[in-house]
Amino acid sequence: MDITALLAQAANLMLTGMVGVFVFLSILIIAVKGLSRFAAPAEQTPPSSRRTKSKPTSEEQVPGEHLAAISAAISQYRNQHFQSEK
Amino acid sequence: MDGLFNLWSATGLANLTLPALAMIAVGCGLLYLAIAKGFEPLLLVPIGFGAILTNIPVAGLADPGGLLYYVYYIGIDSGVFPLLIFMGVGALTDFSALIANPRMLLLGAAAQFGIFATLFGAILLNYVPGFEFTLQDASAIAIIGGADGPTAIFLASRLSPELLGAIAVAAYSYMALVPIIQPPIMRLLTTEEERNITMPQLRAVSKQEKILFPLGVLTLTLLFLPAATPLVGMFCLGNLMKESGVVDRLSNSAQNEIINITTIFLGLAVGSKLAADQFLTVETIGILVLGAVAFSIGTASGVYMAKMMNRFAGDSPINPLVGAAGVSAVPMAARVVNKVGLESNPHNFLLMHAMGPNVAGVLGSAVAAGILLALVG
């Protein structure tokens, strides 16, 4: 078979193949979306259980003493690092 | 005197030919890459050793009656070994990232363009004197772009067994080279701003969804592409054993003992195809070049698809880097995406997001192999 005819076949295969792969995986997307809709949702850990374990007052804010300790540690590290580089 | 002469003619020294010696050197080269450089050692150690054994003169290990001949005949000619490996890979794969964000399947589809473009390229190579690839040969070579060793070996054994050695070596070598091949392409095709895109956190996936997923994939394959059922079917079986949670013993065997034993013999059988007369040809060079082209085109088309999807993504943006993971090569390609993403933004961990297109790529290349089998086989 001459190369031109083979090339035409290859081009045809390229087109058919890519269309085939996209169509198949697109159907799979729809199937997975359908699956997620009908399957039982994932068990979420109830938010209340987490709250009871942590401190009720300091959920969002870092306590001042922690902040002070952290910044002291950072400045100490920076000092040491700076000196060691010298 | 006759006795001495007969003894001499039975030695390796008297029978060693230059091509066989060159192939033994190739085998040693593969062993060096595996042991010293850590390139896909699980496969390249048995392949390299198999190549040495095959080219030992007089012993005839790969000739009818020899051990490697039977290993090849039983395991690869029948198509059994790659399928057993696929079952193990299925049992090792977690589809959560893909189920949580099914759009990623499109990236796995886009990256398969590397396969089909290379098919065209392989036929184009016929214009160069010395190359005579048929459509079957070209399809088997092109599947290197799927970046999936078992799929490449399976398809090559069906379509073009005489090129199997070179195709398997190219596929596994390039899979090991993913961290070198992909990043420059990814950086070239994306802007700094795009690489910085943070993707929203994936939702949790229920056990029921994970169990139904392999069954759903199998049903679709059965309906639309039965030619891909050997690969997809074994993959889904492995995955169902893992996710169902009721056959942990079988799932563990598939993930460990079965995949390990099969890997040893698969490597040896591929090595048995590295005989001098089959490997030392100009076609092998063509296959190595085409393999690199296939990988690069696959990576590029994945990234382009991700860029396009990002344009229409709305409130859940897609980092175009994750498109590169569409070329299978689990989990190496996803790790590369994560690494390139972290270079731009040290707080942007893309690993889980890249696992979606990565496992989609496994499915995509299996589907592409099924299409090639159906149309060319």
Side-chain angles (χ1 to χ4, degrees):
Chain A
M1 196 185 287
D2 71 313
I3 301 174
T4 324
L6 269 179
L7 275 178
Q9 274 190 14
N12 192 19
L13 204 60
M14 184 159 77
L15 199 70
T16 325
M18 279 316 285
V19 170
V21 171
F22 265 102
V23 168
F24 188 90
L25 294 183
S26 301
I27 297 172
L28 192 57
I29 293 179
I30 298 167
V32 173
K33 283 192 171 161
L35 192 81
S36 316
R37 189 164 294 176
F38 293 114
E43 286 173 30
Q44 302 279 347
T45 44
S48 57
S49 66
R50 205 179 140 195
R51 270 169 198 260
T52 48
K53 277 179 190 169
S54 58
K55 284 184 189 173
T57 49
S58 56
E59 269 274 271
E60 305 295 325
Q61 286 185 331
V62 182
E65 53 201 275
H66 286 193
L67 212 71
I70 291 167
S71 44
I74 290 173
S75 60
Q76 196 184 349
Y77 171 79
R78 277 189 184 151
N79 283 341
Q80 281 175 356
H81 197 63
F82 189 60
Q83 278 165 2
S84 66
E85 269 184 359
K86 273 185 179 175
Chain B
M1 199 61 198
D2 267 4
L4 266 180
F5 186 75
N6 285 342
L7 192 63
W8 166 250
S9 61
T11 60
L13 284 172
N15 289 284
L16 208 55
T17 58
L18 207 59
L21 206 60
M23 284 315 294
I24 292 177
V26 168
C28 291
L30 293 177
L31 286 180
Y32 171 77
L33 286 179
I35 298 168
K37 300 281 176 188
F39 281 7
E40 294 282 332
L42 289 175
L43 260 304
L44 288 191
V45 166
I47 292 179
F49 208 84
I52 297 173
L53 289 179
T54 302
N55 290 287
I56 291 176
V58 188
L61 279 164
D63 297 334
L67 169 71
L68 295 184
Y69 171 83
Y70 286 116
V71 172
Y72 178 85
Y73 186 71
I74 294 167
I76 293 191
D77 194 45
S78 63
V80 169
F81 283 171
L83 296 178
L84 286 179
I85 299 253
F86 232 58
M87 180 174 75
V89 174
L92 285 163
T93 304
D94 184 357
F95 279 110
S96 313
L98 190 61
I99 300 172
N101 192 2
R103 286 183 303 167
M104 293 295 139
L105 277 162
L106 289 178
L107 298 178
Q112 307 314 317
F113 185 63
I115 295 179
F116 294 101
T118 308
L119 197 160
F120 195 74
I123 297 292
L124 262 183
L125 213 57
N126 281 348
Y127 281 114
V128 180
F131 289 99
E132 273 181 40
F133 291 132
T134 62
L135 213 52
Q136 278 85 353
D137 295 340
S139 307
I141 295 166
I143 201 76
I144 298 173
D148 199 317
T151 309
I153 292 173
F154 181 73
L155 199 72
S157 72
R158 305 285 98 177
L159 297 179
S160 185
E162 68 279 7
L163 297 180
L164 190 137
I167 289 172
V169 168
Y172 282 112
S173 308
Y174 289 130
M175 275 165 68
L177 290 175
V178 159
I180 297 167
I181 298 175
Q182 285 199 318
I185 301 170
M186 291 154 74
R187 288 192 201 105
L188 187 73
L189 299 181
T190 53
T191 62
E192 180 68 24
E193 196 185 330
E194 285 172 328
R195 290 197 289 273
N196 262 316
I197 294 176
T198 319
M199 293 174 71
Q201 200 182 346
L202 294 170
R203 71 172 174 89
V205 172
S206 71
K207 189 181 173 190
Q208 199 181 0
E209 284 174 278
K210 288 189 195 175
I211 294 174
L212 289 173
F213 182 81
L215 293 172
V217 174
L218 185 67
T219 311
L220 288 183
T221 316
L222 182 147
L223 291 175
F224 298 109
L225 196 59
T229 323
L231 284 167
V232 177
M234 292 305 278
F235 191 72
C236 290
L237 171 64
N239 193 247
L240 183 65
M241 289 198 295
K242 170 182 182 268
E243 299 298 355
S244 65
V246 291
V247 283
D248 282 344
R249 281 166 51 186
L250 304 189
S251 169
N252 286 336
S253 296
Q255 288 176 32
N256 299 292
E257 292 85 356
I258 295 176
I259 204 168
N260 289 343
I261 294 168
T262 315
T263 301
I264 296 175
F265 290 109
L266 182 87
L268 281 174
V270 169
S272 80
K273 281 285 164 189
L274 296 184
D277 55 335
Q278 288 174 347
F279 194 79
L280 293 179
T281 59
V282 67
E283 289 180 338
T284 302
I285 299 168
I287 290 171
L288 290 174
V289 172
L290 287 168
V293 171
F295 254 72
S296 310
I297 296 179
T299 305
S301 45
V303 172
Y304 270 121
M305 185 73 189
K307 278 168 83 117
M308 207 164 76
M309 283 168 70
N310 184 40
R311 233 171 251 177
F312 303 101
D315 54 349
S316 52
I318 295 171
N319 188 318
L321 291 177
V322 299
V327 294
S328 209
V330 182
M332 187 87 89
R335 283 194 200 139
V336 169
V337 169
N338 193 46
K339 192 166 161 274
V340 177
L342 285 176
E343 282 170 13
S344 291
N345 178 357
H347 303 292
N348 194 7
F349 291 93
L350 292 170
L351 188 65
M352 275 318 286
H353 298 289
M355 279 314 284
N358 214 184
V359 294
V362 178
L363 285 177
S365 53
V367 170
I371 291 174
L372 288 174
L373 266 180
L375 297 180
V376 184

